[in-house]
Amino acid sequence: RTRITGAYFAQIKGFTEFETTIGTHLLKSQVCYAGEGYCLALASFNTKSSRDFIRTYLNYYLKKNDLWYDQGYAMAALNWMDEVNSTNIMDEYLEEWKVFTQNIENWNLQEFISQFNSKMRILDSLEK
């Protein structure tokens, strides 16, 4: 809980100096449920480095069919940044996503995106 809370506060307060720490924790995936907070913070930072952390995460974890972690939130984070930056980075991972989720029930990318976007709007409103 402390890690996800820290990630939320980093996002709300714009503490981009913790970007490397947050990104490294995302890649390690040591704590359950914290990855969502890491993805929210990295998406809000929206830097090349934050995009690289999420891409590195997906490059590794979308190939691990036995590790159902925070891949949906990472995809949603890329989608959020794509919307903000008018890019299509998430599209590069759609085929891998389909393969990864083919045997996982209830993993719907649009639901991850909808939930993620809702949380981003809430956290953004707290920032203001």
Side-chain angles (χ1 to χ4, degrees):
R1 293 182 189 177
T2 56
R3 290 185 186 194
I4 195 168
T5 302
Y8 285 149
F9 275 107
Q11 177 187 5
I12 293 165
K13 300 301 267 177
F15 293 154
T16 57
E17 62 267 27
F18 296 109
E19 180 179 54
T20 300
T21 301
I22 291 168
T24 300
H25 283 311
L26 174 66
L27 296 177
K28 290 180 180 180
S29 288
Q30 295 174 319
V31 179
C32 295
Y33 307 111
E36 178 185 7
Y38 301 151
C39 288
L40 288 162
L42 292 170
S44 73
F45 298 157
N46 193 23
T47 66
K48 180 185 180 320
S49 180
S50 62
R51 287 185 297 277
D52 287 346
F53 277 118
I54 292 172
R55 292 182 79 162
T56 300
Y57 178 88
L58 289 171
N59 287 334
Y60 181 78
Y61 285 101
L62 281 178
K63 292 174 178 62
K64 302 294 181 183
N65 294 343
D66 58 328
L67 302 177
W68 303 357
Y69 292 164
D70 299 297
Q71 292 91 331
Y73 297 117
M75 291 287 285
L78 279 184
N79 181 75
W80 176 270
M81 290 186 282
D82 280 346
E83 298 269 331
V84 171
N85 300 321
S86 298
T87 56
N88 295 312
I89 297 170
M90 187 194 76
D91 292 351
E92 298 172 23
Y93 295 92
L94 288 176
E95 285 304 313
E96 284 184 87
W97 172 262
K98 288 177 188 172
V99 171
F100 176 76
T101 59
Q102 68 187 359
N103 295 318
I104 305 174
E105 292 184 31
N106 303 319
W107 272 49
N108 180 296
L109 183 56
Q110 290 309 311
E111 288 180 27
F112 276 106
I113 290 170
S114 177
Q115 291 173 12
F116 189 89
N117 289 352
S118 177
K119 290 178 183 181
M120 284 293 285
R121 286 190 295 274
I122 291 167
L123 290 168
D124 283 348
S125 72
L126 292 174
E127 182 181 344
K128 294 175 176 114

